Amino acid sequence: MPNDDARLTALLSVLESLDTEASTTERGDLDLLDTAELIRRMNAEDRRVPAAVAERATEIASAIDGITARFRRGGRLIYIGAGTAGRIGVLDASECPPTFGTDPSMVVGLIAGGETAIRSAVENAEDDDEAAAASLRDLDLSASDTVVGISASGRTPYVVGGLEYARGLGALTVAIASNADSAIGAAAEIAIEVVTGPEFISGSTRLKSGTAQKLVVNMLTTLSMIKLGKTYRGVMVDLLATNEKLHARSIRTVSQLAGVGVDAASEALRAADGSVKLALLMLAVDASPEAAASALVDADGILRDAIAALA
């Protein structure tokens, strides 16, 4: 089939130009090395990732400020990606409710191929350049939202199509790629291109590229949540105590930050219906649950501002 042959030739040409697909002769002896040397070499490659992320600090900051502004207007953060990149977006989204007490609809992860693709590969799903747009349409995407497309190669059709659709609606669009001058970077308003170079195993972008993606999405949600007041003195204060460990962490947090014993912390949490932030405010200013809750609303959820208002 001439058409298929032409597409394959074009794709081979693109892959040839990508750093993430490159191989190096120095790794040709990996199968001959002992385990300790393999660990040393792989770790040496992994150490390159944080420095590569740091080089994109300006773009990451722009994305965080844009995401935070849209959160304050009731907007959402929606990740789109395929394969490992898609799973990293889904993982980050799924961690936000227990960590920051957010509604599950506030941060959403979409992956090419749907729920099945979280655990298993779905053939050709990443090549569908209309699928992400259809899913975003189903979510009633608007200009108040942010869409973050993740792709190591920077050329995944699923991600390119989703970003183009989102940008057309006026949503903030952000691209996270591991190659410079990427197609998704061109499709987005903010391009975070963390160039991590050839992978330890050529083309295995779950390695350095995946690590870089995880570091960046950690920043996008964690730092925007800090700016929204989801932490206090570097501690999670909007976490949901959905299991015994988190319940114990809530008691420990209130006890440490308020300077009270475990019994007093537990009692304050009961009166605050499990809200760490509310319990801390009540203890800080000796306020009733009702007065403290009202002050938090007036302070847009910023505990420091609520304490200052009631002090």
Side-chain angles (χ1 to χ4, degrees):
M1 294 218 210
N3 240 6
D4 287 347
D5 287 347
R7 279 202 298 272
L8 179 58
T9 300
L11 179 54
L12 287 170
S13 176
V14 170
L15 295 180
E16 182 71 23
S17 70
L18 300 178
D19 283 348
T20 49
E21 296 291 329
S23 56
T24 59
T25 53
E26 69 197 42
R27 300 202 192 111
D29 62 348
L30 290 183
D31 57 315
L32 304 177
L33 302 177
D34 64 27
T35 305
E37 179 61 15
L38 284 168
I39 291 169
R40 188 194 70 75
R41 290 200 189 186
M42 189 168 178
N43 184 244
E45 286 297 320
D46 289 341
R47 286 201 299 271
R48 300 174 188 267
V49 178
V53 171
E55 289 177 3
R56 301 275 73 84
T58 299
E59 294 87 349
I60 295 169
S62 294
I64 291 165
D65 288 340
I67 290 166
T68 304
R70 281 159 179 77
F71 276 156
R72 288 195 171 116
R73 299 202 296 265
R76 300 163 293 177
L77 167 58
I78 302 168
Y79 291 116
I80 56 173
T84 298
R87 293 180 192 107
I88 285 172
V90 170
L91 173 64
D92 195 60
S94 66
E95 292 289 352
C96 286
T99 306
F100 299 113
T102 58
D103 188 279
S105 66
M106 186 174 175
V107 184
V108 178
L110 298 178
I111 183 169
E115 293 290 313
T116 301
I118 295 173
R119 292 176 180 81
S120 307
V122 176
E123 292 254 354
N124 302 320
E126 71 172 59
D127 296 328
D128 188 341
D129 60 359
E130 297 179 0
S135 296
L136 293 170
R137 199 175 295 115
D138 290 342
L139 288 174
D140 293 324
L141 186 76
S142 76
S144 296
D145 299 319
T146 301
V147 174
V148 176
I150 311 173
S151 166
S153 68
R155 58 153 298 278
T156 306
Y158 173 86
V159 178
V160 173
L163 287 172
E164 289 176 345
Y165 173 76
R167 195 165 185 178
L169 287 181
L172 175 64
T173 49
V174 179
I176 303 173
S178 295
N179 288 286
D181 303 318
S182 64
I184 67 168
E189 186 175 337
I190 300 171
I192 303 172
E193 295 175 327
V194 182
V195 180
T196 49
E199 293 288 2
F200 186 68
I201 297 175
S202 299
S204 182
T205 52
R206 71 183 183 86
L207 300 177
K208 288 192 297 183
S209 296
T211 301
Q213 292 160 7
K214 184 67 171 68
L215 291 177
V216 174
V217 299
N218 279 353
M219 289 181 177
L220 297 186
T221 46
T222 302
L223 303 187
S224 62
M225 294 298 171
I226 288 174
K227 293 172 80 69
L228 290 175
K230 298 288 185 179
T231 65
Y232 176 67
R233 289 165 57 184
V235 180
M236 299 177 291
V237 290
D238 265 339
L239 78 163
L240 296 178
T242 54
N243 57 41
E244 285 186 357
K245 179 189 75 174
L246 292 178
H247 179 62
R249 182 177 290 162
S250 296
I251 294 172
R252 185 168 175 268
T253 296
V254 172
S255 175
Q256 289 184 334
L257 292 182
V260 299
V262 167
D263 289 343
S266 297
E267 180 57 38
L269 279 166
R270 275 193 293 272
D273 199 24
S275 169
V276 171
K277 185 184 285 185
L278 187 59
L280 286 169
L281 180 55
M282 290 161 53
L283 289 168
V285 296
D286 193 23
S288 68
E290 295 76 20
S294 177
L296 274 176
V297 170
D298 291 342
D300 290 326
I302 308 294
L303 181 55
R304 286 185 188 277
D305 291 350
I307 290 173
L310 291 180

